[in-house]
Amino acid sequence: KQEVTQIPAALSVPEGENLVLNCSFTDSAIYNLQWFRQDPGKGLTSLLLIQSSQREQTSGRLNASLDKSSGRSTLYIAASQPGDSATYLCAAFSGGYNKLIFGAGTRLAVHP
Amino acid sequence: DGGITQSPKYLFRKEGQNVTLSCEQNLNHDAMYWYRQDPGQGLRLIYYSQIVNDFQKGDIAEGYSVSREKKESFPLTVTSAQKNPTAFYLCASKIPGPKNIQYFGAGTRLSVL
């Protein structure tokens, strides 16, 4: 059974810090892994998708990496800003389950 | 604008009442999904539909029902059998292809009176 875990559950940092959010999954037979952003009371916005054959994806100040063998993905946020404050969710998709399995998210607060 | 529209944004249910959450998309996507999100938890799959007039149960389908009579619409009914319906409900649709890239609506927050 695929389980996705995100650590830490919450994080508070001063503006300008570089930070890393962690996501681990128990079944390495994934097709891809996605990182989403969720603002309070809102839906999800896809940030990055990493295919199983890829090691990382980058979009602006965001970089996501994937290590299937260890069952881990990280989301790196460079030079954090108050506007980055949100909950970040990762989700693994594998053909065997034919659905996205979500982690519980990391709630990030970036203070000025 | 193309997207997924969920309504209402807030909904209140009285005990014993059935309520229906609306989800409409104009993205021409075949597949649509309903998720439930509880505080501090990830999204859990309630129902999904790969094509019109077909749908399958997800992990937590008990107490819910759906229909898929039109490609654009995938309403979710929370029945009186769902004893703990208070949650944030998210609808999504998926672009064709194997990558399972899903687009999400803004959600409906359901509370019990």
Side-chain angles (χ1 to χ4, degrees):
Chain A
K1 178 185 174 187
Q2 177 72 279
E3 294 182 1
V4 178
T5 305
Q6 291 187 246
I7 294 173
L11 186 61
S12 180
V13 300
E15 182 176 6
E17 269 203 13
N18 301 325
L19 52 98
V20 175
L21 308 182
N22 296 292
C23 172
S24 62
F25 45 94
T26 55
D27 186 347
S28 63
I30 63 169
Y31 192 84
N32 60 46
L33 187 131
Q34 274 184 270
W35 283 92
F36 293 89
R37 171 184 172 137
Q38 185 177 30
D39 292 292
K42 305 287 187 181
L44 276 63
T45 300
S46 181
L47 297 172
L48 290 164
L49 181 146
I50 314 175
Q51 295 288 77
S52 62
S53 58
Q54 297 174 319
R55 297 285 297 194
E56 64 179 69
Q57 281 286 325
T58 298
S59 176
R61 294 183 293 108
L62 305 179
N63 175 276
S65 67
L66 176 65
D67 184 344
K68 279 182 56 179
S69 61
S70 66
R72 296 188 180 196
S73 176
T74 61
L75 179 67
Y76 176 82
I77 303 177
S80 58
Q81 303 170 359
D84 294 330
S85 299
T87 296
Y88 291 82
L89 296 129
C90 69
F93 175 66
S94 56
Y97 304 103
N98 196 29
K99 61 183 179 182
L100 283 173
I101 308 292
F102 284 84
T106 293
R107 191 171 66 255
L108 173 65
V110 181
H111 49 87
Chain B
D1 278 275
I4 301 173
T5 302
Q6 289 189 241
S7 62
K9 189 173 175 66
Y10 300 97
L11 186 58
F12 298 91
R13 193 192 88 167
K14 295 179 182 178
E15 191 173 338
Q17 184 182 42
N18 293 352
V19 292
T20 298
L21 285 61
S22 170
C23 178
E24 303 279 330
Q25 55 101 356
N26 59 5
L27 300 168
N28 201 34
H29 292 169
D30 286 312
M32 297 185 73
Y33 303 79
W34 273 107
Y35 294 91
R36 170 179 172 141
Q37 186 178 31
D38 293 282
Q41 296 188 34
L43 279 65
R44 292 182 289 167
L45 183 63
I46 305 172
Y47 267 98
Y48 64 101
S49 168
Q50 303 278 41
I51 199 167
V52 174
N53 292 322
D54 185 57
F55 49 82
Q56 288 81 39
K57 294 182 179 180
D59 298 318
I60 54 167
E62 185 174 350
Y64 300 97
S65 66
V66 294
S67 63
R68 187 81 188 279
E69 297 176 1
K70 298 188 299 181
K71 187 175 187 178
E72 302 79 20
S73 179
F74 190 39
L76 173 74
T77 296
V78 184
T79 74
S80 57
Q82 173 50 245
K83 298 306 180 187
N84 183 24
T86 297
F88 190 53
Y89 291 86
L90 287 158
C91 177
S93 68
K94 184 174 83 76
I95 65 172
K99 292 186 178 180
N100 200 42
I101 298 175
Q102 297 185 20
Y103 293 88
F104 286 80
T108 292
R109 185 164 302 279
L110 175 62
S111 302
V112 176
L113 288 175

